[in-house]
Each structure stands twice: as C-alpha cells, then as structure tokens.
Amino acid sequence: MKLQLLRNATLKLNLGRRTILIDPFFAPKHTRPSIARRSPNPLVELPVSVDQALDGVELVIVSHLHSDHFDPLAQSLVPKDMPIVCQPADDSKIRSFGFEEVTPLHNQLDWRDVKLTRREGRHGFGPVVEKMGPVMGFSIEVEGEPRLYWTGDTVLYPPVEETIRSTDPDIIVIHPSGARWEGSSIAMDAEQAATLCKTFPRPIVVATHLEALDHATVTRDHLRQFTLSQGIAAERLLIPRDGELLYLDVPAR
C-alpha cells in the first residue's frame, strides 16, 4: 500500500490497481477563514498541484462536509463524473454541487475490487457533538493489501476501540490534532493517540490532520515527544510530513 499525506486529512491511497483520494482540501494558504482567531486557514500550502493530487484518482471518499475535508475549491475542481462515496447525511448536498455518481456508505460497499465498510465516529465529547454534526470513519480492504482503518474526525471512544478489536486492522489512520471548538475537544489529542497505540500494540498507526488549521493544539513534534515518553517507538507511530509518501506492509503478528 502506498499512502501519501497531502495536507490535513487529505490522503492519496494506492491499493493494488486502485487510486483513492480521501477528503480533498485544495484551498491555497490563508484563503479560508480562521477557526480559533489565530490565523486564516489553511496554515500551509498544498505540497503538490491540484492536478498532481487528482492524477490517476478513480474514487473520492468524503467523510463529512466540514470545509477542511471538502472545500469549495475541491468541490469545483474534482471532476463532476468522479465517483464519490460519502456518509448518508451528505449525498444530497454533494449531488447539489453537480456530482453525477454519489454513493452513500450506509454499511458496506464493494467498489470494483475494494471493500469499504462504514465505521462510527464522534466529533467531540458532550454538547459540541451536535454542533459538529455526523461524521464517519471507514475500513478499506483490497486483496493482497494491508487492511486499513481510517478513523476520521473522531475522539477515542468505545466504538473506535471496538472496531479495532473486532477487525484487527494492519494500519490505523488517526487525527490527533487536539482540535478544539469553543473550548471543547473535537478530535483525538496526543494522550488519546498514545492510549490507542498502547492498547493496540500490533497495528501501525499513522497520524495526520496536523499543523494545517489554527484550532489545532498538537504539533508533530509535540506528538512525537509525548508518545516517545510513553514508550511508543517511532516505527509504530508514523507522523508523515505534508507530501510524504509512505510504503506500508502488514506488520508482524
């Protein structure tokens, strides 16, 4: 499996013969509003051109419609005949943007030789969850490739842990930015990332959604230093830079 972090939650996956783009966020640096009144967003440029981001892509997955996961520029530049998979709450809205082939992921979906399974997510704790709205994670399985669980914009809570226990993924992608909304936590932080790694010591964990938005509170360096202090080796928790390409295989059992 080849996994390239583009920026924020935007990933480009090569699994077998397929190329999948997750949560396209194409806005140039500082062209979107501030969230925490610290800086316009995004904080950094996309490390590749939009044409490069879309090159070879056969399927786009949109986990939810927050603008840092499917921004207006991406909505205009992703080809309208591109197959889109999304959560059921968002299919009508995405069709209204002009996309012709939009499939809600209710539970499980077979797309060509790719098996997608929807997973629960919770965008925070307490009352802020209603403000954030529904989100989803998903599992991806392709014969001969590592099994991947992309948690999405979620805190670490029992359904995430149960998904890992019941599916035993090889790779887990998390968003431990420590993002906050109106003072409330809305994503995993360094402590939750460490807890996940210690609770489930076999999978390789990949941390993304870092250093791109002004409401995040966890940097890559902070995450690395904290998890090392918790005994989590760097080869167990990968923290790619924007644009970095990872080659991932099934970890030893």
Side-chain angles (χ1 to χ4, degrees), residues 123-133 181-182 184-186:
H123 209 341
F125 294 107
V128 75
V129 174
E130 185 173 350
K131 293 181 180 180
M132 292 296 100
W181 181 270
E182 298 177 351
S184 296
S185 173
I186 59 171

Side-chain angles (χ1 to χ4, degrees), residues 9-165:
T10 308
L11 296 183
K12 192 170 185 178
L13 291 177
N14 293 94
L15 304 97
R17 298 175 297 165
R18 305 303 173 198
T19 302
I20 298 171
L21 187 66
I22 300 172
D23 282 3
F25 176 39
F26 293 159
K29 180 180 177 180
H30 291 168
T31 59
R32 302 290 302 160
S34 171
I35 300 171
R37 299 182 180 178
R38 296 193 184 103
S39 170
N41 288 303
L43 303 178
V44 293
E45 294 286 5
L46 196 66
V48 300
S49 70
V50 171
D51 285 344
Q52 289 172 313
L54 290 171
D55 183 43
V57 172
E58 302 166 90
L59 176 72
V60 170
I61 302 175
V62 175
S63 66
H64 63 298
L65 289 180
H66 288 175
S67 62
D68 63 310
H69 293 258
F70 196 33
D71 69 307
L73 187 59
Q75 293 163 18
S76 68
L77 295 181
V78 173
K80 292 299 185 285
D81 60 354
M82 177 74 71
I84 307 282
V85 170
C86 64
Q87 62 178 347
D90 297 335
D91 58 321
S92 295
K93 185 67 174 179
I94 294 173
R95 288 191 189 96
S96 77
F97 300 149
F99 291 96
E100 301 164 5
E101 189 178 339
V102 182
T103 304
L105 183 57
H106 292 280
N107 182 22
Q108 191 170 298
L109 172 68
D110 291 320
W111 178 81
R112 299 182 181 176
D113 50 358
V114 178
K115 178 180 177 182
L116 294 169
T117 305
R118 183 183 171 191
R119 304 299 181 190
E120 289 189 46
R122 184 179 177 91
H123 209 341
F125 294 107
V128 75
V129 174
E130 185 173 350
K131 293 181 180 180
M132 292 296 100
V135 296
M136 72 170 185
F138 49 84
S139 299
I140 300 181
E141 296 177 71
V142 175
E143 187 175 355
E145 297 283 348
R147 292 173 296 174
L148 184 144
Y149 170 34
W150 190 89
T151 66
D153 269 8
T154 185
V155 293
L156 183 61
Y157 77 129
V160 170
E161 296 175 317
E162 177 54 32
T163 293
I164 299 170
R165 288 192 187 94

